[in-house]
Amino acid sequence: MNENNSIAQLTQAMIQYLDCPCRFFAPTEDDALILKAYREARVRGEKEGFFPMLVAVDETLWECLIMNSDEGSDGEDYRFDASAVADYRHRTLAFPMKSGRLVLKHLLEERRQEAEDDDMDWDEEIIGEMTGGEANNRFCGLWDFGTKKTLPLILAEIPVSHPWEIFAWLPFGGWNECPDTPELMAAAEHWFNRCKAVPAVMTHDVLEFSLPAPVDRDFAMELAMEHYVFCPDVVDQGPADGTVGTLADTLAQSTVWFFWWD
């Protein structure tokens, strides 16, 4: 099977899995049309009752979605049990929500213990000063930086009532240090209530949120710590001398939040 046929088959399977109105975007050197379509979908979604999500056509993401929502399938040949996926979504949405504040507090305790085990100075090496950040106002997860084109993408109109429920529809977590579905939902609810942050882009290892405006600088340090415990790689594998303070300076200037798990 050549690469184009494989992408076409995976795209069709993912659209069937998403089970909602979708639009496919082939790789391109200019993301203007994609971003315009996303913005228009955000406006329509407020009236029609959905949240748009830009989802990469990605084999690894496909495998993770099936692993989490259809335990009886392995996703081979892009087959899955639609009734099992629907049942997973129903059960996940019906289950009582975890507290985002408590989830992040527990993760903070884990990160502190890890730093202590590694003999790291928490205040100097992890926290640092609130300086050195750069504004981030564009989605990065759309891009294949090797080809300098966008990834093959699906703009999906996820039929949920709240933005954090997107993760019941697209359960991509639960591997390595990436939080699982209940933790993703809890953190997303917490951040929507505090910052109006909405999940917008998903690949197999990247998650991006969109915000109407940057957060206040007075709140940015607290928020950056939440981001760090939620996704340590945004600091640990970021700029060479990056700290939570550097991230806080970025968040105070940005309308896009970027998370990446190795």
Side-chain angles (χ1 to χ4, degrees), residues 13-51:
M14 291 187 71
I15 288 173
Q16 290 175 351
Y17 177 90
L18 284 160
D19 192 26
C20 64
C22 293
R23 179 178 177 184
F24 175 71
F25 292 91
T28 176
E29 294 178 353
D30 185 353
D31 63 2
L33 181 62
I34 298 169
L35 297 177
K36 180 175 182 290
Y38 173 77
R39 289 192 296 267
E40 290 174 349
R42 280 290 301 271
V43 173
R44 283 195 301 106
E46 292 179 3
K47 300 175 182 177
E48 298 176 19
F50 68 84
F51 286 90

Side-chain angles (χ1 to χ4, degrees), residues 21-254:
C22 293
R23 179 178 177 184
F24 175 71
F25 292 91
T28 176
E29 294 178 353
D30 185 353
D31 63 2
L33 181 62
I34 298 169
L35 297 177
K36 180 175 182 290
Y38 173 77
R39 289 192 296 267
E40 290 174 349
R42 280 290 301 271
V43 173
R44 283 195 301 106
E46 292 179 3
K47 300 175 182 177
E48 298 176 19
F50 68 84
F51 286 90
M53 192 78 178
L54 287 163
V55 183
V57 178
D58 181 316
E59 289 275 1
T60 305
L61 176 58
W62 168 255
E63 292 170 4
C64 189
L65 296 174
I66 296 301
M67 174 188 72
N68 283 326
S69 61
D70 182 8
E71 295 179 357
S73 300
D74 57 13
E76 187 176 353
D77 296 328
Y78 308 128
R79 292 193 299 266
F80 67 98
D81 183 344
S83 63
V85 173
D87 182 62
Y88 170 86
R89 289 170 176 159
H90 176 76
R91 287 186 287 107
T92 302
L93 292 173
F95 199 77
M97 283 281 294
K98 288 187 174 183
S99 161
R101 183 181 61 82
L102 293 180
V103 165
L104 294 166
K105 180 180 178 182
H106 175 70
L107 291 173
L108 173 60
E109 293 168 355
E110 290 186 353
R111 305 304 175 223
R112 280 186 172 276
Q113 186 60 55
E114 290 168 359
E116 183 178 334
D117 293 343
D118 293 338
D119 294 322
M120 299 183 70
D121 186 301
W122 181 261
D123 290 331
E124 291 190 11
E125 296 181 75
I126 303 295
I127 304 300
E129 300 293 328
M130 189 173 166
T131 185
E134 296 182 359
N136 178 23
N137 297 311
R138 292 186 67 85
F139 298 133
C140 298
L142 306 179
W143 291 92
D144 179 336
F145 292 102
T147 64
K148 297 183 180 179
K149 293 183 177 182
T150 57
L151 298 165
L153 295 164
I154 296 168
L155 176 59
E157 300 178 3
I158 310 295
V160 291
S161 301
H162 307 288
W164 55 88
E165 294 173 338
I166 286 170
F167 298 109
W169 217 262
L170 284 163
F172 92 125
W175 49 273
N176 293 354
E177 289 190 329
C178 183
D180 62 17
T181 297
E183 291 171 335
L184 287 166
M185 290 176 66
E189 180 190 34
H190 175 71
W191 289 330
F192 178 77
N193 289 337
R194 301 195 75 179
C195 312
K196 299 304 178 187
V198 174
V201 176
M202 179 184 290
T203 76
H204 75 271
D205 59 358
V206 168
L207 176 63
E208 291 181 291
F209 285 73
S210 176
L211 290 84
V215 298
D216 292 340
R217 290 191 69 83
D218 291 344
F219 172 53
M221 200 69 170
E222 177 185 343
L223 178 64
M225 179 55 69
E226 292 181 348
H227 281 212
Y228 172 67
V229 302
F230 180 75
C231 179
D233 285 338
V234 294
V235 172
D236 295 344
Q237 299 202 46
D241 297 319
T243 63
V244 171
T246 309
L247 177 59
D249 194 34
T250 291
L251 296 179
Q253 306 175 61
S254 302

